Structures are given as C-alpha cells and as structure tokens.
C-alpha cells in the first residue's frame, strides 16, 4: 500500500487543526479533519461567552486567510478582540466550510496505530500506513488509512480535578452536581441563578480562576446577586506574583484581569485560603459541601465549587503508537524543556517546529495545546507556526520546515479564560492554570465592570480570554 497517496489525518477542527489542514492543502496534500463535535470549533464554542485577550490580527492563520479570500471573507478589524463565540462563527466555521468535505464532524477518533502492527512489532513498521479508527455520531465505525497523523485535539475535554494530588478528591465525583470545571457564564439566567446569593469555592490560581472571581464579584454587586461570596482556594501562598503582571503586563487585557481578581479580594467579595490542598468533599447537616484539606483543615460550608486547576491531554487513543513524552508535562521530549512553566512564560518559549514535535513513531505529531501537555503557556500563533513547519516536513520541504521564525512578546505566563467585557492576566504557576493567549499591545488599566471612577483608557478596553486548540 503506497502511503504517499493517502491523506493526512488531522484530529480536531479547532483553530490549530483547521490551520494544519489549510497548510497541507497549500502544499497539495490531502487532509482529512476528524472532529468529535457537531460543528467546527466545538471546544471554543463551549467558552463562547469569554473574550480573548488576543486581537483578530493575532488569531487568524495567514494561510487560512489566503484560503478564505476567494470566498469573499474578510478578517474583522485586526485590532479588535473576538469572543470565543465570534471566533468560532466568524472564522473557524467559514474556514471549515471552505475546506468542505475535508472536514468531518461528529467523528470521534477512538484509536490510532500502524496497519497490522501494534506498538510491540518492529518488522516493517515504518513502511505501514497509519490506521485510524473512527466512530461517528450515528454509531457507524470506520477505519481510515493515513500517511501521517496530526493530533490537534487539544486538552479542553480533560479538566484537572480538585484533589491536590492530581487525583479526584474523595467525594468529588459524588458532589458532581455542584461542581463545574469551567468558568460559568453568569449572563445566562439559569447559570446566574445557580450562583446568586450563594457561597462558592473557586479552586485554582490561573487566569480562569481570576475570571471566575471577577464574575462572582460583579454578581455580588448586582441587585439580584446580593449575598454572593467567593472562597478562593490556592494550593500555594499569595506573593507579589499571584495576581500576574498587572499594568506591566504586555497583554493589557490579561494584566487587568489580575487586578480585577485582586479587587474582588480587597473589596471583600472573596476570601483567600492559601496552602490548601483539597483531599475530600464532605456534606454538613444541611447538605452543603465542606472541603477538607490534606492538613486536616475543614473550611466553612459552600454551596457550589468551581474547579479551575488546568487541563491535561487525553492520550488513551494513541496508546498503540510509540510516543516520546516528558514524564512530567506529557509533552514531546524535545519540546518539554522549552515550555516548562517553572522556567518559561509566553514570551520566553523558544520558537519550535517539526523536530521538537517529532516522536519515535515517525509521521505522528501532537500540535497545539495537545503538544503542551499539562503546560499552560500556549499561544495561538505558536500553534500556527507549529503546523506550518509540520506540513512542510510532511511535504519533504525540510528547508522550510526547519526555518522556524516567530517573535513572541515577553509577558507573564499565559493562561486560561478571561472576562467577556473586562480584562485579563495570569499567574499560571505549574498546573493551576489553563489555556492560551496571543500577543497584544501596550498595557492599559481596565477595571471590572460597573465600579466607580473607571480609568478613561478602560472604556473600550478588551476583555481577557483563551484561544485553545
């Protein structure tokens, strides 16, 4: 079987997956994009209420814009900031439509291997095509053969647990009806009613936690939210870097989000509990949740819990492939030292391409947020450069593939979702943050919606956000 005549399977129709397909098309290589959701950008649509702290000029892949141009598509104002919903509807969906039948939705990849070879077998391995098992929404199953596999499925579907050990806390699953692992959309009346007048624990220390704290503080100041209070649970202590870069952050929307979270604490809308690693969820006599720490501390009861402790890659369907992954970050071995959140921020991640993303199993690449494993410092434009390099390598153009050029802003650690109409920052330490971001211009002080004495520069300021893959 000649592998060169086979398509390249791309897993995931998010921003980076669609960009990968576009770069392949540009090089005359047939892609097949398999998306488990019913529409392109399914994961992005789940945080449609969140505004990115990246402008339109920074979240559109150049090759994708070129592909879209003949359709009459024009990029929205490059200096404006899209919400997740706008990004999906105004860019990702038109891009998927332009790719046509190269994108299949409702198609879940359940396994990837070499045809006729499990991970043990050496003989003739590299000459065999990849075989991808797909299950469709209507129950049909299919085997697809591919010359290469690009996994851009992201990490959105696998949220970190509340437990401080990386495992679910005791009782966490039993309390699932009162726990969410996403930033709630408090503009949705049903969601708003769930938190209004309630005491909510927020676990995490990245931009998503900042967002939740700011949202809850805004709710507490509204007519229908009186009595709303947050309990902010951090696994570490509070230091000068806890609230991110503030007005010094080169991503102004992100910097302002940290200030908004700090204001939530300073104004009494949230209490911070530091050095607390959740071990168990228990119930009091009234059925409210009591969080118990590894050190034996028991916190006052809460009604709801928002767990924002980052995301992790789902590697289960890649189990028959020979992957070289860092034992801590679950990122490719060559890439891991470059993205270690203990050492690097968005701006200090070295530009990288197909060589850093390669594995012992030649022809398979993890890209986008999936490539970063558990590291939270991903940038959208980094993902676009990754897939440009990977597509060039698959095409055999190693000169182009190795010419990785990308200038990133030196900012604080990127992380998670931000406010829809406010601003964002992140202090994403270790694995307590999530998400991604892209570059922006100089800092502006932006306050949370509806306080008094708003800074003049904040009036039309962008909100924070994530640009996950």
């Amino acid at each position: 079987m000649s592998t060169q005549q086979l398509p390249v399977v791309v897993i995931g129709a998010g921003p980076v997956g669609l960009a990968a397909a576009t770069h392949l098309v540009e090089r005359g290589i047939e892609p097949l994009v398999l998306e488990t959701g019913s529409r392109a950008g399914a994961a992005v649509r789940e945080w449609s209420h969140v505004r990115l702290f990246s402008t339109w000029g920074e979240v559109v892949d150049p090759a994708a814009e070129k592909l879209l141009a003949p359709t009459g598509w024009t990029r929205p104002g490059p200096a404006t900031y899209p919400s997740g919903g706008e990004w999906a509807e105004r860019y990702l969906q038109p891009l998927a439509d332009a790719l046509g039948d190269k994108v299949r939705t409702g198609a879940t990849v359940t396994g990837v291997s070499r045809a006729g070879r499990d991970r043990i077998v050496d003989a003739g391995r590299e000459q065999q095509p990849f075989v991808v098992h797909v299950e469709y929404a209507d129950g049909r199953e299919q085997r697809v053969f591919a010359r290469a596999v690009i996994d851009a499925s992201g990490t959105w579907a696998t949220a970190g647990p509340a437990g401080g050990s990386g495992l679910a806390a005791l009782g966490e699953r039993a309390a699932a009806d009162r726990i969410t692992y996403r930033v709630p959309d408090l503009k949705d009346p049903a969601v708003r009613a769930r938190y209004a007048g309630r005491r909510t624990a927020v676990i995490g220390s990245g931009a998503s936690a900042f967002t939740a704290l700011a949202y809850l503080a805004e709710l507490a100041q509204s007519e229908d939210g009186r009595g709303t209070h947050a309990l902010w649970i951090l696994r570490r202590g509070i230091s000068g870097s806890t609230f991110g870069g503030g007005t010094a952050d080169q991503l102004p929307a992100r910097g302002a989000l940290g200030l908004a979270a700090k204001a939530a604490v300073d104004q009494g809308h949230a209490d911070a509990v530091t050095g607390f690693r959740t071990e168990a969820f228990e119930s009091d006599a009234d059925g409210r949740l009591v969080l118990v720490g590894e050190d034996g501390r028991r916190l006052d009861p809460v009604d709801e819990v928002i767990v924002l402790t980052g995301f992790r890659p789902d590697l289960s369907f890649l189990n028959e492939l020979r992957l070289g992954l860092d034992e801590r970050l679950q990122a490719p071995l060559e890439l891991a030292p470059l993205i270690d959140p203990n050492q690097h921020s968005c701006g200090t991640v070295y530009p990288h391409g197909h060589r850093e993303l390669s594995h012992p199993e030649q022809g398979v690449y993890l890209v986008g947020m999936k490539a970063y494993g558990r590291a939270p410092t991903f940038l959208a434009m980094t993902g676009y450069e990754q897939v440009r390099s990977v597509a060039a390598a698959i095409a055999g153009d190693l000169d182009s593939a190795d010419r990785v050029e990308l200038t990133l802003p030196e900012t604080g650690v990127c992380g998670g979702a931000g406010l829809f109409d406010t601003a964002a920052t992140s202090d994403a330490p270790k694995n307590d943050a999530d998400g991604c971001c892209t570059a922006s211009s100089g800092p502006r002080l932006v306050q949370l919606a509806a306080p008094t004495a708003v800074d003049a520069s904040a009036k039309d300021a962008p909100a924070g956000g994530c640009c996950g893959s």
Side-chain angles (χ1 to χ4, degrees):
M1 183 183 297
S2 173
T3 60
Q4 297 302 306
Q5 304 304 313
L6 297 174
V8 173
V9 164
V10 178
I11 306 173
V16 177
L18 292 175
T22 302
H23 283 279
L24 291 167
V25 168
E26 191 174 54
R27 289 189 169 271
I29 299 172
E30 183 72 11
L32 175 59
V33 183
L34 300 173
E35 165 61 48
T36 190
S38 61
R39 291 185 292 173
V44 174
R45 294 175 191 277
E46 291 193 26
W47 47 270
S48 61
H49 60 293
V50 173
R51 193 172 295 281
L52 282 73
F53 40 68
S54 308
T55 65
W56 272 111
E58 296 149 350
V59 297
V60 173
D61 179 79
E65 186 168 12
K66 191 185 304 182
L67 179 68
L68 283 166
T71 70
W73 184 88
T74 56
R75 183 178 62 188
T80 60
Y81 291 70
S83 67
E86 290 166 344
W87 198 20
E89 286 297 327
R90 300 179 67 182
Y91 169 62
L92 300 179
Q93 191 60 56
L95 182 54
D97 292 342
L99 289 166
D101 59 8
K102 295 176 175 61
V103 178
R104 296 181 189 174
T105 57
T108 301
V109 173
T110 58
V112 183
S113 186
R114 290 279 189 178
R117 307 288 189 274
D118 62 22
R119 66 185 297 162
I120 299 174
V121 179
D122 292 331
R125 186 175 190 87
E126 291 185 5
Q127 287 69 51
Q128 292 299 108
F130 291 96
V131 59
V132 181
H133 282 209
V134 187
E135 183 175 317
Y136 292 94
D138 61 6
R140 289 181 299 117
E141 293 183 295
Q142 182 184 25
R143 286 192 308 168
V144 176
F145 294 99
R147 62 185 287 188
V149 175
I150 299 175
D151 183 358
S153 59
T155 59
W156 177 256
T158 317
S165 62
L167 304 174
L170 300 178
E172 184 171 346
R173 293 186 181 89
D177 62 332
R178 281 173 289 173
I179 301 175
T180 183
Y181 298 87
R182 305 289 188 269
V183 176
D185 180 5
L186 296 186
K187 292 187 177 180
D188 181 316
V191 176
R192 190 176 183 86
R194 175 175 174 175
Y195 296 96
R198 304 288 185 89
R199 178 177 165 87
T200 299
V202 177
I203 304 176
S205 59
S208 292
F210 291 170
T211 304
L213 291 169
Y215 273 170
L216 292 170
E218 183 179 9
L219 178 59
Q221 297 172 70
S222 67
E223 283 295 323
D224 63 337
R226 291 178 181 176
T228 302
H229 194 79
L231 184 66
W232 185 21
I233 299 173
L234 299 97
R235 293 172 178 172
R236 60 185 190 124
I238 290 181
S239 67
S241 64
T242 296
F243 297 98
T247 56
D249 198 316
Q250 289 183 9
L251 296 175
R254 191 186 61 197
L257 177 56
L259 298 178
K262 185 176 187 299
V265 175
D266 292 345
Q267 295 170 8
H269 301 302
D271 296 321
V273 178
T274 61
F276 189 93
R277 293 182 174 274
T278 308
E279 183 176 75
F281 286 81
E282 297 180 357
S283 298
D284 69 0
D286 297 322
R288 302 174 78 199
L289 295 177
V290 175
L291 276 64
V292 182
E294 292 178 352
D295 57 4
R297 278 186 290 170
R298 301 172 64 86
L299 304 182
D300 290 339
V302 297
D303 302 292
E304 299 285 343
V305 180
I306 302 173
V307 179
L308 301 167
T309 57
F311 296 86
R312 52 188 62 176
D314 177 8
L315 301 166
S316 60
F317 58 89
L318 304 176
N319 197 44
E320 291 305 319
L321 297 176
R322 298 176 177 181
L323 302 181
L325 298 174
D326 179 75
E327 63 185 10
R328 295 181 304 121
L329 296 183
Q330 295 179 297
L333 283 169
E334 294 298 318
L335 178 61
L338 308 180
I339 61 173
D340 185 342
N342 295 299
Q343 304 293 329
H344 294 282
S345 72
C346 290
T348 62
V349 172
Y350 187 80
H352 56 276
H354 74 108
R355 295 196 185 276
E356 292 83 1
L357 297 169
S358 64
H359 294 274
E361 191 82 70
Q362 295 183 21
V364 61
Y365 302 93
L366 276 59
V367 299
M369 194 66 221
K370 186 71 172 276
Y372 272 45
R374 298 195 183 196
T377 54
F378 181 72
L379 292 149
M381 57 182 161
T382 299
Y384 295 156
E385 179 63 11
Q386 285 179 344
V387 296
R388 185 206 62 78
S389 174
V390 166
I394 292 172
D397 184 357
L398 294 184
D399 286 342
S400 178
D402 289 337
R403 193 170 59 250
V404 181
E405 299 176 0
L406 181 63
T407 301
L408 303 176
E410 292 193 17
T411 62
V413 175
C414 289
L419 295 179
F420 187 88
D421 288 317
T422 335
T425 190
S426 168
D427 174 41
K430 299 186 180 180
N431 294 323
D432 281 3
D434 56 272
C436 65
C437 55
T438 58
S440 188
S441 55
R444 287 179 286 170
L445 176 60
V446 187
Q447 291 186 298
L448 186 62
T452 59
V454 176
D455 185 281
S457 66
K459 185 175 181 182
D460 298 312
C466 169
C467 51
S469 59

